[in-house]
Amino acid sequence: MESSSSPPVSTPIINNYPMVTRAKAGVFKPKIYQVSTSFAKPVDYKQALFDSNWFKAMQSEYNSLITNNTWTLMPLPPGVSVVGCKWIFKRKLHADGTFHRNKARLVVKGFTQVLGLDYSDTFSPVV
């Protein structure tokens, strides 16, 4: 039985240029996929609000944004729409792959910017 780490058997690649690629040299890196059932399901903000660990991570991020005076509330000019934001959730791991902590970030949806209005502005409320 053939092991999964051996390179695939294929015909040699021949091109008309002199560059030597890994495939031409017969070097193949095995693809390694780590699947952890405890981290497989993504989290959205509705689920995070009802999970105390994710809620603490969101509260910590929000408190950091407020403490650092990241933004100033201003009246919205007429005819202008607000650039929205969304929560990004990540599970931080130690180097050995064990769970470290939940991390929540509030990021701006830059794709909603309008050319000629706020397109050249950069919004980054990340602490």
Side-chain angles (χ1 to χ4, degrees), residues 2-13 22-23 26-31:
E2 187 174 305
S3 69
S4 61
S5 63
S6 63
V9 178
S10 62
T11 58
I13 300 170
R22 285 187 295 205
V27 177
F28 296 95
K29 291 185 176 180
K31 292 185 180 180

Side-chain angles (χ1 to χ4, degrees), residues 52-107:
S52 63
N53 294 321
W54 283 116
F55 186 79
K56 287 177 190 174
M58 291 169 68
Q59 191 66 48
S60 174
E61 173 73 0
Y62 179 75
N63 290 341
S64 295
L65 292 170
I66 296 299
T67 302
N68 291 318
N69 296 319
T70 306
W71 66 74
T72 304
L73 292 178
M74 304 290 290
L76 189 63
V80 177
S81 61
V82 175
V83 177
C85 60
K86 67 179 181 176
W87 285 101
I88 304 294
F89 299 99
K90 289 196 175 188
R91 293 174 176 95
K92 296 294 192 172
L93 305 176
H94 290 288
D96 63 358
T98 59
F99 177 76
H100 176 59
R101 67 184 175 110
N102 290 329
K103 173 79 175 157
R105 290 187 312 147
L106 185 64
V107 297

